[in-house]
Amino acid sequence: MRLSLSLLLALFALGQVNAARPAKRAYSSHDYYVFEYVPRGGASLDEVARSLGVEVVERAGELQNHWLVRTLKPPPHSIYARDTSLDQVTHALQQVRAKASSSHHSREEVQLSRRVANSVGYLEYQQLRKREKRAPPPTPGPNALGLETASAVAQRMKILDPEFPHQWHLVNDDYPQSMMNVTGVWDMGITGHGVITALVDDGLDYRSDDLAANFYAEGSHDYNDHTDLPTPVLFDDHHGTRCAGQIAAVKNDVCGVGIAYDSKVAGIRILSGPISDIDEAAALNYGYQNSSIYSCSWGPPDNGRAMEGPRYLIKKAMVNGIQKGRGGKGSVFVFASGNGGRNGDQCNFDGYTNSIFSVTVGALDYKGLHPEYSEACAANMVVAYSSGSGNHIITTDIGKNKCSTTHGGTSAAAPNAAGVIALGLSARPDLSWRDVQHICVRTAVHINPDDPDWEKTASGRPFSYKYGYGAIDAYQFVTAAQNWELVRPQVWVDLPVVQLNGGTMDLFQSTTGGVPIVPGGVTSTIDVTQEGLNGRNFEKLEHITIQVWITHTRRGDVEVELVSPNGIKSILAAKRYQDSDNTGFPGWVFMTVKHWDENPVGTWTIRVSDQNKPEESGTFLGWTMTLWGSAADTSKDIPVYDVPVIDGTLPPLIPPNSSPTTTLDLPIGTATKQHPKPTEHLGGDHGVAEGEATKVAFPGNEDIASTPAPTPSTSAKPVSTPTADEGWFSELSNLMSTQIWVFAALGAVAIFGIAAGIFFWRRRVRRRQNYSSLPTDTVPMSTVSGRPRTRELYDAFGEVSDDDDADEQTGLRSGMHQQSEGLTYHSGFLEDDPSTAGGLTPAARYKDEPDSPDHEHAAAPRDRPHSPEGSGSNNSGDGSWDHASDAR
Ligand SMILES: *[C@@H]1O[C@H](CO)[C@@H](O)[C@H](O)[C@H]1NC(C)=O
Ligand SMILES: *[C@@H]1O[C@H](CO)[C@@H](O)[C@H](O)[C@H]1NC(C)=O
């Protein structure tokens, strides 16, 4: 069902492309790519496709101006097949870019190449990866079902579903305080009517008599087998069906009932095999005008070692969802916090659960206790009932008339929360994605009040890393929703980037500067002023994201905590005994909801410490944070957030008008990720094991005072954490040197062709060597940059090189395909337009609608100084922020 290009374009112009079903993929015969088409660049989509040698498949999910294209896989003997670090289309783009600045080609060719080069904003090969279900394993032995009656409810409500009395999460006779508390909502006649929840999972058995009547086929798709219906096929494809039953099992005589039993469910199948980023991105936006909630019970492995998040296109899809989904009210993403609690895993090491765009849901068990599998972190918003202390979740199973009695884990907690949210949206369809989060924070029930993990926040609400703000309660949620006053639009404030002792990290994660992590830890502070908040139209705080650059020989030893001006502490990273990774936190972003509604004015302190082991060490290079909240004045222009393409460098190497929240992803080049089965991490006794309510989530951290930490010993004092002024200059000089070396590289190719020849010859000799082993003196322009950024230089040199021997290219990029990002950046410097040739205003190319007037205000002016215009006055003139100051 491939559409012709002109038809696609016509549809695109009419904004109706989403009516088309995704085309069947042929991953075995073709390579797939996603690119961002920049109409402003001047080339038609057709010209771009021809120049890159690709065939346009379809629009890439719901991402505007992004297109899915494909090309036949290279023949077995081609250079591309021999060297997997090189791919055809990226190479073709490199050739186009080389031609754009070449003098060996005709004027027409050069101009076409320029237009094409400028029309490609982003290009990425689509690698197939596998997501991990958070499914519990089948549990051997009988169920420890102790009760037989919830019969009064069943009788009064004429519930004939045979398993309803066993669905303790709906009515719990033994521990009546431990349930989702839905019957009062049903009594009000609110049963989910009109709301659709999409289960992004391993399928949904729409043939089940318990789901058929509530199945929403139009919102369903199978991204594993590329068919319209999400049919469970594999032996263990029962997870999505079970989760769907929790939400919308029909009130009939089959199995049990769902929390929102008159709502509908769609199935989007992605977990039954490897999928590409763009298919995952498209899945998270599939049918997003009609489906309101995306229930996601999967993520990176819960092994206590992984630190992984959504990559660029997926983040972009989530942002697209909250901005454009549901008619602009925003898709509600619900993510399970993870089952790795016993492995010391924490949900702040998972970029899906610590996204501000998702509601993160942990688990509570049958007795209302914390099951040890459920992960704790400062990004946990609420908990919902699931397996543990002798019981599981009873729900629909695959088959015509089947019931599961072994469902559980945080996998089952998330759909229970999604079911409650469906009830809330049924009562109040106008709630935005943020209203939903606000109501979660405000109405969650303070269970186990004696648990030492609870702490009072500045707003007076109790918060726990294990429970978030508490148990989501259907009655409390819906009644609050009924009277809810909608929150104002979201705004955010990027605080200055602190570089400790001139700390830097480039795209390749090589570093300079920074402060060694010494006993007692290293602290650093950032000041927030009321004037600064006013200047950003910022009224009330919600989430905080904190980006850190830390190297360490053993990541699991590192502890990171943030202390607010009011002495409220968020533990962002506690030690993880399983995590012996040596890559540290290269621009990783943590998130905390613990400061919700707190007044952020004053000094914020971050402390980075480790376990003081003599054999392990690390360096704290820098950090920054972003405050997210509501707008003070809605009559002002409200900026629209966009995901930066590159956000892992220190200082940030990003367009001046974009905003960061996310980490640098290395697009491809690292080996294909095959996530292990989650069942490896959720013990087989997850439903049987007794929970607890007596332990703090992160023992060992409580001895660190809740006030700004004492200063480290004098020897550890960060010598030159820059003031904002110094930071600004260093960043500016970085930007300038970035451009200088690009221009220098361009010039060098043209003028010193012979030198380049020698350079490439020498590199050929070394092409199998690591980047880091390449001596700097082989780079002719190394002095131009004035900074030890050798590897970036290689990258820049390679991109603009005119070298036709593709083998040569590989030496530039061994082990990585960073070029998709690098190329994106450097393309700006090829433009004829003098207004953008300076390279300081390429932001527009990252926007979806570069020519739309709406986007003139598309991004907030960042506090991070990127351009002289943007920030020259920032440090002294408007006094928005006190200086990012040194740790003492
Ligand atoms: C559960 O719902 C009832 C109404 O049916 C309500 O009175 C009660 O407060 C709710 N329980 C909790 C813990 O909020
Ligand atoms: C959404 O719902 C409307 C009204 O029911 C329907 O016309 C439309 O086709 C649906 N859109 C999608 C993408 O399913």
Side-chain angles (χ1 to χ4, degrees):
M1 58 174 287
R2 184 148 309 106
L3 299 172
S4 82
L5 187 59
S6 52
L7 177 57
L8 272 174
L9 282 170
L11 286 172
F12 180 55
L14 292 170
Q16 289 178 351
V17 164
N18 48 3
R21 286 282 182 166
K24 191 162 172 65
R25 314 285 191 251
Y27 289 113
S28 54
S29 56
H30 289 74
D31 283 335
Y32 284 76
Y33 295 79
V34 169
F35 82 88
E36 183 186 10
Y37 172 56
V38 182
R40 225 164 33 90
S44 69
L45 187 56
D46 204 22
E47 282 175 321
V48 174
R50 265 187 282 118
S51 301
L52 299 184
V54 295
E55 168 192 7
V56 176
V57 178
E58 63 195 14
R59 191 174 144 188
E62 294 286 350
L63 300 180
Q64 260 180 309
N65 283 340
H66 285 62
W67 293 87
L68 182 67
V69 299
R70 68 176 194 176
T71 180
L72 276 172
K73 278 194 183 299
H77 298 298
S78 78
I79 48 163
Y80 304 110
R82 269 188 285 126
D83 189 329
T84 51
S85 71
L86 183 70
D87 69 75
Q88 314 174 73
V89 176
T90 308
H91 186 226
L93 181 57
Q94 286 183 321
Q95 302 281 336
V96 167
R97 296 215 148 120
K99 227 189 243 183
S101 57
S102 158
S103 52
H104 306 308
H105 297 275
S106 73
R107 195 177 152 71
E108 290 72 36
E109 272 183 286
V110 169
Q111 293 207 326
L112 173 66
S113 300
R114 281 195 189 179
R115 282 187 287 120
V116 170
N118 289 334
S119 296
V120 179
Y122 172 87
L123 172 73
E124 191 188 50
Y125 171 74
Q126 292 302 298
Q127 193 167 45
L128 298 181
R129 305 178 324 126
K130 190 141 168 30
R131 298 282 162 224
E132 177 173 353
K133 282 181 225 180
R134 292 202 163 127
T139 311
N143 289 307
L145 290 178
L147 73 153
E148 295 299 316
T149 55
S151 53
V153 176
Q155 247 176 6
R156 182 167 56 80
M157 298 191 161
K158 302 190 171 49
I159 297 173
L160 303 176
D161 297 73
E163 290 301 322
F164 174 72
H166 295 157
Q167 291 187 292
W168 61 267
H169 66 284
L170 301 178
V171 180
N172 191 338
D173 286 348
D174 286 353
Y175 300 91
Q177 78 287 2
S178 301
M179 57 183 189
M180 301 307 298
N181 207 23
V182 286
T183 51
V185 179
W186 293 345
D187 282 339
M188 296 188 285
I190 297 170
T191 51
H193 195 81
V195 179
I196 303 165
T197 303
L199 282 299
V200 185
D201 212 295
D202 64 3
L204 193 163
D205 196 347
Y206 46 86
R207 299 161 301 195
S208 162
D209 287 340
D210 214 7
L211 289 171
N214 282 342
F215 176 62
Y216 182 66
E218 289 79 10
S220 300
H221 190 71
D222 183 338
Y223 281 97
N224 289 129
D225 290 342
H226 309 292
T227 58
D228 289 344
L229 289 173
T231 317
V233 176
L234 306 180
F235 76 96
D236 63 346
D237 280 353
H238 44 229
H239 187 250
T241 303
R242 293 174 181 179
C243 292
Q246 290 178 262
I247 297 168
V250 178
K251 185 181 164 197
N252 56 10
D253 58 357
V254 181
C255 191
V257 292
I259 287 178
Y261 56 75
D262 282 328
S263 71
K264 298 217 178 300
V265 279
I268 300 174
R269 186 164 177 258
I270 68 164
L271 297 181
S272 305
I275 67 160
S276 62
D277 283 1
I278 192 57
D279 282 356
E280 185 177 330
L284 290 171
N285 288 161
Y286 198 81
Y288 74 158
Q289 292 311 327
N290 291 359
S291 294
S292 300
I293 303 165
Y294 289 75
S295 183
C296 304
S297 296
W298 43 270
D302 294 330
N303 54 19
R305 295 189 298 275
M307 185 174 84
E308 218 183 296
R311 288 142 47 88
Y312 173 72
L313 290 171
I314 301 164
K315 281 186 286 208
K316 209 160 163 71
M318 289 182 79
V319 169
N320 194 44
I322 59 102
Q323 288 174 348
K324 304 205 186 112
R326 213 162 43 103
K329 288 286 170 189
S331 307
V332 178
F333 294 104
V334 178
F335 268 88
S337 77
N339 295 332
R342 286 183 184 169
N343 298 320
D345 211 349
Q346 299 156 30
C347 36
N348 238 325
F349 287 77
D350 170 340
Y352 294 89
T353 51
N354 84 4
S355 165
I356 68 164
F357 305 116
S358 65
V359 177
T360 305
V361 183
L364 270 186
D365 71 18
Y366 177 53
K367 295 182 179 170
L369 301 173
H370 169 246
E372 295 203 4
Y373 60 76
S374 180
E375 291 180 27
C377 75
N380 252 346
M381 184 160 272
V382 288
V383 283
Y385 289 93
S386 188
S387 57
S389 286
N391 239 323
H392 295 82
I393 296 293
I394 315 296
T395 180
T396 316
D397 207 348
I398 47 170
K400 199 164 164 51
N401 182 350
K402 285 267 177 57
C403 225
S404 167
T405 55
T406 57
H407 194 44
T410 55
S411 265
N416 275 342
V420 170
I421 294 169
L423 292 174
L425 291 180
S426 177
R428 281 290 301 274
D430 58 329
L431 298 179
S432 75
W433 66 278
R434 275 169 56 249
D435 291 309
V436 167
Q437 294 201 8
H438 271 274
I439 297 171
C440 283
V441 167
R442 267 153 231 261
T443 66
V445 177
H446 186 200
I447 31 85
N448 306 327
D450 295 332
D451 191 312
D453 200 47
W454 288 110
E455 291 171 77
K456 258 222 161 45
T457 65
S459 64
R461 297 186 189 103
F463 179 87
S464 142
Y465 300 107
K466 293 191 295 195
Y467 311 123
Y469 281 96
I472 186 169
D473 180 285
Y475 184 81
Q476 300 296 345
F477 189 95
V478 172
T479 50
Q482 286 175 316
N483 304 308
W484 183 252
E485 193 181 322
L486 299 179
V487 292
R488 294 177 183 172
Q490 187 186 43
V491 293
W492 70 97
V493 174
D494 290 315
L495 295 166
V497 179
V498 179
Q499 292 170 267
L500 283 88
N501 189 22
T504 68
M505 181 177 285
D506 67 16
L507 274 176
F508 302 82
Q509 297 178 12
S510 69
T511 68
T512 61
V515 174
I517 299 167
V518 292
V522 179
T523 61
S524 171
T525 61
I526 291 180
D527 289 350
V528 174
T529 64
Q530 189 60 53
E531 302 73 61
L533 298 177
N534 296 345
R536 300 291 174 228
N537 193 18
F538 188 95
E539 187 195 36
K540 207 137 202 218
L541 182 62
E542 296 164 4
H543 317 79
I544 299 180
T545 50
I546 302 94
Q547 189 170 24
V548 297
W549 289 266
I550 299 166
T551 62
H552 206 275
T553 52
R554 192 174 191 284
R555 184 169 64 206
D557 284 3
V558 178
E559 294 172 296
V560 182
E561 61 180 40
L562 179 74
V563 181
S564 78
N566 304 298
I568 304 299
K569 181 174 70 177
S570 281
I571 295 172
L572 304 175
K575 56 178 178 281
R576 297 201 304 170
Y577 63 95
Q578 304 260 31
D579 180 3
S580 50
D581 188 284
N582 63 8
T583 57
F585 301 82
W588 181 253
V589 177
F590 292 111
M591 194 270 272
T592 172
V593 293
K594 197 172 171 179
H595 305 278
W596 201 279
D597 283 342
E598 180 169 349
N599 177 0
V601 171
T603 301
W604 291 79
T605 307
I606 193 172
R607 178 200 312 225
V608 176
S609 54
D610 63 10
Q611 309 303 308
N612 304 330
K613 293 184 200 148
E615 70 278 15
E616 310 288 358
S617 63
T619 304
F620 184 18
L621 299 161
W623 69 296
T624 185
M625 55 183 214
T626 303
L627 310 177
W628 303 82
S630 55
D633 181 354
T634 50
S635 68
K636 291 189 180 156
D637 286 326
I638 303 297
V640 178
Y641 178 72
D642 198 6
V643 180
V645 178
I646 297 179
D647 189 22
T649 57
L650 175 70
L653 186 69
I654 56 179
N657 289 327
S658 298
S659 195
T661 47
T662 42
T663 59
L664 166 70
D665 299 313
L666 296 176
I668 49 178
T670 47
T672 303
K673 282 252 156 45
Q674 288 281 338
H675 295 298
K677 284 278 179 190
T679 47
E680 286 172 21
H681 309 300
L682 179 60
D685 64 344
H686 68 94
V688 179
E690 190 83 2
E692 59 78 28
T694 55
K695 297 184 196 161
V696 294
F698 303 131
N701 285 68
E702 69 269 42
D703 53 355
I704 300 174
S706 292
T707 48
T711 56
S713 65
T714 337
S715 64
K717 184 180 178 205
V719 238
S720 65
T721 304
T723 65
D725 287 316
E726 290 164 10
W728 183 77
F729 280 118
S730 89
E731 185 146 12
L732 179 68
S733 69
N734 174 255
L735 266 180
M736 287 174 49
S737 65
T738 302
Q739 292 171 74
I740 288 169
W741 57 250
V742 171
F743 284 121
L746 281 168
V749 173
I751 300 163
F752 301 113
I754 297 167
I758 294 168
F759 171 75
F760 284 120
W761 175 76
R762 291 187 63 176
R763 199 178 50 205
R764 187 208 299 265
V765 175
R766 293 189 170 84
R767 58 181 287 248
R768 288 298 167 195
Q769 285 183 276
N770 233 348
Y771 268 107
S772 50
S773 64
L774 287 167
T776 30
D777 61 9
T778 61
V779 186
M781 301 79 64
S782 61
T783 51
V784 177
S785 77
R787 301 172 73 94
R789 295 188 158 268
T790 317
R791 295 191 266 179
E792 288 180 18
L793 205 60
Y794 274 93
D795 194 37
F797 198 96
E799 281 156 15
V800 297
S801 87
D802 216 354
D803 197 311
D804 279 330
D805 180 359
D807 264 12
E808 302 292 1
Q809 303 286 340
T810 61
L812 291 171
R813 293 178 281 110
S814 59
M816 63 173 302
H817 278 238
Q818 196 57 57
Q819 72 275 23
S820 57
E821 296 181 348
L823 284 167
T824 299
Y825 267 87
H826 302 152
S827 66
F829 307 118
L830 296 174
E831 285 197 20
D832 291 330
D833 178 359
S835 70
T836 56
L840 281 172
T841 56
R845 80 186 59 254
Y846 299 96
K847 294 175 193 162
D848 282 340
E849 299 159 303
D851 299 315
S852 144
D854 291 352
H855 281 70
E856 292 306 311
H857 316 290
R862 293 164 45 83
D863 260 312
R864 290 178 200 182
H866 284 285
S867 67
E869 314 88 87
S871 54
S873 61
N874 189 28
N875 304 294
S876 47
D878 64 19
S880 290
W881 303 106
D882 285 354
H883 296 166
S885 63
D886 192 357
R888 284 159 306 257

